[in-house]
Amino acid sequence: MAEEFAAATIGAIALAVLLTALIVLYARILPAASWVRVIAESFACAAPGVLAWLVLSPIMSSGVRGVMMPSLALLGGISCYLVTLVARSAGASFVRSLIFGSIWAVAVFIPTAVRTFEPFDATAPLGLSPIDHGGALVMSVAVGSGMFAVLVVERKSLIRGARMFVPVPAGIVALAVVVVSWIGWLVGAEFAIDDVAGLIVVNGAVSAIAGAVGWSAVQLITHGAISLRSLAGGLVSGLIAVTAGAPLFTPVSAAVAGLIAGAVACVFTVRRGSPLGNQLRFLVNTHLLGGSIGVVSLGVLATGSGFLFTGQTAIFEEQLLSVVATASWSFVISSGCWWVLSKIGRRVRVDSGRVLVEK
């Protein structure tokens, strides 16, 4: 019990730090404002996920263990913060973003997280019980699909006005903290202190580095140059790819998953055009593609149960169907919700230093 509590504490602290680091790292895509406002609104957008989990998860699943509650509540907060980023970048008001995050938390995060972390207690949609150690289905696949839905609805309103400036040193520090805290969460997600913790740390670091190598290699080949953004995109893609199976990969298979995730995300992200558009594609592709590749790759690479070890496709099929079901559900809910909200009220945007209001 003491070891379980210690692991859960590590996970909760790591997620709290991760949320803070992500707020700094991703601030550059938001409309220019004071740092106090950006940070306050970002934490507020995370709040619906925390509250929804604490209130509704005991109702939806009687088997949720108390030791898991703080960590999964914070995971909900991170997911809600992330899924509202594209909406906020498009100039959505704080209230509208908060409403969107609240609906998404209840309709998408709660059922997906319950299915992921208490699969035998919950009614599994389509009979699926996917393997997902760190919550990649909800934190990356569902979030990425939700971002993509808003991107589709708001495609004509994305590239407008001045954006937040994040100093390079602050960005580098935030990226380093993201890597360390993300791996800390993967250790805590074991909810036990055992010999697997060392493997999780190694796999997390190896996959993150491999993701950076994959992203940088593709960008260097196709564009002849790389940047700090390449490093950030690759590291995040690699971390996302290893989230679902951190204790089930070998270091070699973790490197393969990270390398593929980084390379594929780069192919769909780095294009000629607006830097802001690239940043928005960065958000969608690193989460949606990285998470999908990580979850599905378990069906092939998971030690002792993947296709390469057993020759059976059952786990691969279940992982793939889980990704498709999660992404589809999040896209339908997110696009419908945001389309309705986009028809209500006004949009605030910044253009050449002036604050403008649109119907």
Side-chain angles (χ1 to χ4, degrees):
M1 181 62 70
E3 291 184 353
E4 187 178 63
F5 178 77
T9 301
I10 291 173
I13 294 173
L15 286 173
V17 174
L18 177 61
L19 174 58
T20 305
L22 287 173
I23 288 173
V24 175
L25 187 66
Y26 289 161
R28 68 180 66 239
I29 75 162
L30 298 175
S34 70
W35 272 103
V36 172
R37 178 178 177 180
V38 168
I39 293 173
E41 290 187 354
S42 296
F43 278 117
C45 286
V50 176
L51 296 176
W53 178 261
L54 293 177
V55 173
L56 297 179
S57 62
I59 298 174
M60 297 186 65
S61 176
S62 59
V64 175
R65 290 176 290 165
V67 72
M68 300 173 68
M69 294 293 282
S71 294
L72 299 186
L74 286 166
L75 188 68
I78 291 175
S79 299
C80 279
Y81 157 72
L82 290 172
V83 84
T84 58
L85 276 175
V86 173
R88 294 168 65 196
S89 178
S93 68
F94 167 66
V95 172
R96 195 182 304 178
S97 300
L98 198 61
I99 294 172
F100 173 66
S102 300
I103 296 172
W104 189 89
V106 173
V108 180
F109 173 75
I110 297 297
T112 307
V114 167
R115 182 186 66 183
T116 298
F117 291 98
E118 295 293 341
F120 302 108
D121 182 71
T123 300
L126 307 178
L128 299 174
S129 296
I131 301 171
D132 187 2
H133 170 76
L137 278 171
V138 65
M139 188 181 184
S140 302
V141 176
V143 162
S145 185
M147 289 177 176
F148 180 64
V150 177
L151 198 64
V152 170
V153 175
E154 293 286 349
R155 61 188 179 279
K156 296 180 180 180
S157 307
L158 291 173
I159 306 172
R160 296 184 176 184
R163 300 288 143 174
M164 286 291 296
F165 171 72
V166 180
V168 172
I172 293 175
V173 171
L175 178 60
V177 173
V178 164
V179 173
V180 173
S181 58
W182 202 308
I183 294 175
W185 155 239
L186 296 180
V187 172
E190 183 74 7
F191 292 103
I193 302 296
D194 51 32
D195 54 2
V196 179
L199 178 63
I200 292 174
V201 172
V202 171
N203 285 344
V206 166
S207 187
I209 294 171
V213 171
W215 185 296
S216 300
V218 170
Q219 188 168 349
L220 187 61
I221 292 170
T222 57
H223 295 271
I226 58 176
S227 65
L228 286 175
R229 191 176 299 172
S230 309
L231 178 64
L235 287 172
V236 173
S237 297
L239 287 169
I240 291 172
V242 80
T243 295
L248 301 174
F249 286 132
T250 65
V252 173
S253 56
V256 171
L259 189 70
I260 294 173
V264 172
C266 181
V267 168
F268 286 91
T269 301
V270 181
R271 307 173 188 174
R272 288 181 171 82
S274 165
L276 176 60
N278 284 341
Q279 289 178 47
L280 294 175
R281 287 194 295 272
F282 164 87
L283 281 174
V284 174
N285 293 331
T286 51
H287 287 270
L288 181 55
L289 296 178
S292 299
I293 289 170
V295 173
V296 173
S297 65
L298 275 174
V300 179
L301 300 173
T303 303
S305 58
F307 174 78
L308 291 181
F309 291 86
T310 66
Q312 303 297 315
T313 61
I315 294 180
F316 173 80
E317 293 170 359
E318 184 151 343
Q319 296 295 103
L320 177 62
L321 288 174
S322 296
V323 167
V324 172
T326 300
S328 300
W329 176 249
S330 181
F331 183 85
V332 169
I333 295 297
S334 301
S335 57
C337 175
W338 191 250
W339 183 83
V340 172
L341 289 173
S342 67
K343 301 300 180 182
I344 302 172
R346 298 180 175 184
R347 180 194 314 281
V348 179
R349 66 184 178 91
V350 178
D351 190 9
S352 300
R354 296 175 298 167
V355 177
L356 305 177
V357 179
E358 296 180 340
K359 292 290 187 181

